[in-house]
Amino acid sequence: MADSHVPTPRESQTEILTKVPDVQTSTPITDASISEKVDLSNVLKEDEILNSMASHVDENNENEAVAPLVASFAGDSTEHRTTNTETLMHLLKGNIGAGILAFPYALSKAGLVFGSVAFWIMGAVTLYCMHQLLRCHEHYRHHTARTKCDFGDIMRYTLETCRWRVAQRYAKLGKFVIDGFIVLIQLGFCCVYFVFVPASIKQVVDYYTPNSPAIQIYQLIMLVLVIGFSMIRSLKVLAPFSLAANVISLAGLCIIMQYVIRSHLPLDTLPKITQPTEWPVFFASAMYVFEGIALVLPVRQKMKEPEAYGGFNGVLNTGMYLVTILYFFVGFFGYIRYGSDARGSISLNLPNDNKLYQFTKIMYAVAIFLTYNLQFYVPFTLLWPRICRKVLYRYNERTKAKFEHVFRIGLIVVTFAVAALIPNLGLVISLVGAVASTALSVIFPPICETITFWPNKLGRFKWQLIFNICIILFGFYVFIAGTSLSISNIIACIREGARCDD
C-alpha cells in the first residue's frame, strides 16, 4: 500500500479523505492509489457497520427492560427458553395485577348490560391488536437481521419502510414515542401502587384508631420503604419477592371472592346502561385491564416453540381468554354485590370489623408493595442507558453510580408525588388507562399494521384497513374523552380534599 496508516473507525471522514490522492489533479492514478481508495471504502463501510452494531447493541439492551415482566416464578427467564406452560404463566402474571380489583368500579360507570357486552368486545379488539403486532413482527423479522424485535422496533421499522419520506425521517422518534408510553404506563402502575397500599393500610388502622393521619402520611412512609427496597437491582434477588407476591395475591383474591359471591343486590336495581358522560371513565378503566401489551413480543422471543404462540388455540389466545374471563368474573360479581358503591379496589369494600378481611387487606398491600420494584425496573432500564449515552458519557463510573442513585430516587419520588396529589385509586387507574394503555393497546398496533401492509395486503375489499380505522377512532375517543374526563374528576377530587381517601 502507498500509505501504511490504517485509519480507525473513530477517525472522521475528513481526516481519512486527506490521505487519498485527488483524482482530478495531475497526479497519475497508480495501482497504489487505486488500492488505497478501495481500502478507504472498506474502512468507511466498516465504520458504518460498527456504528450500526453499536446502535443495535444499545437497542437490544433497552429491549431487555421488559425482562422483569417476563420473569418466571422460579427465577429470571432470560437464562433459559420457556415452555408453552411457562409462557402462559408469564402472560397471566403480566396481565393480572391490581387492576383486577378495580374492574367492579369500572363496570359501575357503564351499567350491568352495556358494561359487560362492551368489555368482551374490547377484549376481542385488544387481542386482535396483539396479533397485529405479531404479524408486523414476522414481516420485519424476515426483512432485517435483528434477532430481537420489540414494540418500539416495530414502530421504527414501520416508519423506515413507509412510502412517505416525511414519515421515514421520524423513524427513530417513533421508537422513542413507543418506549415513552411504556415508561408512562409502568410509572402509572407505580403511582397506582402508591395509592393502593396506603389506602388498604389506612382502612385497617382507621378501625382501631379513628384519628389516624391522612393518607399522605402513609404514602410518605411507603416512600421511605420503597427507596430502600429499590436498591435491590438484581433480578435473581427480586425473583423470590415476585414469587411471594404471586402467592399472596392469589390467596387474597380467593378470600375476597368467596365473600363477594355470597350475596348481591337485586339485579333490577342496577342500571343496565349508564349515562354516556360516564362511559369514557369505564373505557379508560377497562383499558387498564389489558396492561400486558408490552409483553406480547418479549415472551414469544423466550419460547422454545415460538410457533405455538399464535394461532386460534395458541398460547396468546389461551392466556388472554383466561385473563378476560377472570377479570369479568371479579368485575361482574363485585359490581352486583356493591353497585355504584364499588370503590377503586374491591378489597376496600370488605368489612372493616372482620379480622380475616383486615388481614386480607394487609396481605394484598404487602403483595403489591413487593411488586413495585419489578414494575419500576422497566422504566428505569429504558431511561437510564439513554441518559448515560446522551448526558453522562464524559463522567467516570463512580460518578455515574452516584447519578444513578439520584435518578432512581427522583423517579420514585415522582410516582409518590402524583399519588399524593391524587389519592383516589379509581381516578389514577382511569387516567393511566386513558393515556398510556389506550395508546399502546388500540392506537399504535393498527397504525403499524396499516402502514406495513399497505396497500395490497389489507384483506379483500380492504376490510382490514376499514377495521383498523374504526379501532383507531375508538382509541382516540377513549384517549381524548377519557383523559379529559379523568383530569376534570381529578381536579374536582383535589378541591374536595378529604373525599379522595378511598
Side-chain angles (χ1 to χ4, degrees), residues 435-450:
V435 176
S437 298
T438 301
L440 291 174
S441 298
V442 295
I443 294 180
F444 288 122
I447 290 177
C448 289
E449 184 190 53
T450 301

Side-chain angles (χ1 to χ4, degrees), residues 9 41 51-52 54 61 80 93 97 114 128 168 171 187 198 200 248 287 291-292 307 326 330 334 418 473 489:
S41 175
N51 290 336
S52 176
N61 289 336
H80 66 281
K93 181 181 183 298
F114 176 73
Y128 177 79
Q168 295 175 7
L187 291 180
S200 301
I248 294 173
M287 289 308 306
E291 58 190 65
E307 64 277 2
L326 184 58
V330 175
V418 173
L473 291 176
N489 290 339

Side-chain angles (χ1 to χ4, degrees), residues 316-338:
L316 178 61
N317 281 7
T318 303
M320 295 311 299
Y321 295 155
L322 295 176
V323 168
T324 307
I325 291 172
L326 184 58
Y327 266 91
F328 181 75
F329 176 80
V330 175
F332 180 82
F333 284 100
Y335 176 53
I336 65 175
R337 177 65 187 263
Y338 297 108

Side-chain angles (χ1 to χ4, degrees), residues 1-7 15-23 27-44:
M1 293 196 40
D3 192 347
S4 60
H5 174 73
V6 179
E15 293 175 338
I16 298 175
L17 289 174
T18 58
K19 300 178 175 61
V20 183
D22 189 355
V23 296
T27 305
I29 301 177
T30 62
D31 292 341
S33 64
I34 295 176
S35 175
E36 187 169 328
K37 286 183 179 241
V38 172
D39 193 52
L40 167 63
S41 175
N42 292 335
V43 169
L44 293 178

Side-chain angles (χ1 to χ4, degrees), residues 84-105:
N84 295 346
T85 302
E86 289 174 330
T87 303
L88 179 62
M89 293 299 103
H90 300 336
L91 282 175
L92 295 178
K93 181 181 183 298
N95 284 276
I96 299 177
I100 192 171
L101 300 179
F103 193 55
Y105 168 83

Side-chain angles (χ1 to χ4, degrees), residues 88 97 172 228 232 251 363 377 396 423 480 488:
L88 179 62
K172 291 185 178 180
I232 301 176
M363 185 168 61
Y377 189 99
N396 56 40
I480 297 172
S488 64

